[in-house]
Amino acid sequence: MRRAEPETRGEILTAATRRFAVTGYRGTSLQDIANEVGCSKATVLYHFANKEALLTELMAPAIAVLQALDDSLTGLTGAAAQQAAAEGFVDLAVRFRREIALLRGEFPQLLQRPAFAHVQRISERLRDALAGHTGRPSAQVASLVLLAGISETCAEFVEMPDAELRPALLAFARRALEPVPDPLSTQDKDKES
């Protein structure tokens, strides 16, 4: 008896998730996924053009939330940009920590793939927002360490309850971010000089 198509597609995604968790994206072949499902490699290729298409679909919900975060940061500067970026990224990382854990250690190579090039650009804008759009090297370093640290922590603590993980990450973010000088107070000091 032939299985229903949507069920098989879902089974392929589930199997890919399991295989990526065990052997990583690079260490998993389409044949491995087919074996996990109990179908042929041709069936996997019927549903997904290649392994990258499969990964793209697995990551689509997280990428959509990342894009929405990027859109919400447009026009924000200084401390407002930092706060919105930190809260938004913590929420995203906590929500999609299983996906982050699946790709642990493989993000740099994946971001080089054409299907994920826009994620690299969004990540750069997010890093800049976490730095308060100051351009200061120390703020840029702090923001990159924060992004990497939040991602790694979420991948490590997949089973920790959201109600414990989120506040801990936000407290860390507040301590780690370099304060952005208030432009009005800087102007006032310049007038006093």
Side-chain angles (χ1 to χ4, degrees):
M1 176 179 217
R2 186 184 155 139
R3 293 193 230 187
E5 194 172 303
E7 186 177 299
T8 301
R9 186 175 182 82
E11 288 173 331
I12 292 168
L13 287 168
T14 300
T17 300
R18 281 193 303 268
R19 294 304 312 161
F20 293 162
V22 173
T23 57
Y25 174 77
R26 288 179 293 174
T28 301
S29 70
L30 290 176
Q31 187 62 56
D32 294 334
I33 295 166
N35 292 344
E36 182 96 9
V37 174
C39 68
S40 68
K41 182 177 172 183
T43 300
V44 174
L45 288 169
Y46 172 79
H47 292 283
F48 299 95
N50 52 40
K51 189 168 68 165
E52 188 170 315
L54 211 163
L55 179 65
T56 301
E57 186 159 330
L58 279 174
M59 298 305 293
I63 292 171
V65 172
L66 181 64
Q67 181 64 60
L69 172 59
D70 185 45
D71 294 344
S72 75
L73 297 173
T74 301
L76 295 180
T77 59
Q82 283 183 308
Q83 182 177 347
E87 289 179 8
F89 187 69
V90 164
D91 288 343
L92 180 144
V94 168
R95 179 177 172 190
F96 295 103
R97 61 190 144 172
R98 292 190 192 291
E99 289 83 352
I100 292 169
L102 289 178
L103 302 174
R104 200 175 198 179
E106 297 192 57
F107 279 117
Q109 296 84 10
L110 291 174
L111 292 177
Q112 302 305 312
R113 297 180 173 280
F116 296 99
H118 67 294
V119 174
Q120 178 67 38
R121 291 188 296 278
I122 292 171
S123 297
E124 290 165 1
R125 289 192 298 271
L126 180 59
R127 187 180 70 213
D128 193 45
L130 285 167
H133 299 294
T134 64
R136 291 191 321 261
S138 57
Q140 292 290 323
V141 168
S143 67
L144 183 57
V145 169
L146 184 61
L147 286 174
I150 289 170
S151 297
E152 186 63 23
T153 301
C154 285
E156 183 67 27
F157 294 104
V158 172
E159 300 304 325
M160 183 181 283
D162 293 1
E164 292 177 28
L165 184 58
R166 186 179 187 280
L169 290 171
L170 286 173
F172 168 72
R174 287 185 198 99
R175 289 190 308 271
L177 289 173
E178 192 172 294
V180 178
D182 180 8
L184 295 178
S185 66
T186 305
Q187 290 173 358
D188 292 341
K189 286 181 184 177
D190 290 342
K191 289 179 185 177
E192 293 173 6
S193 305

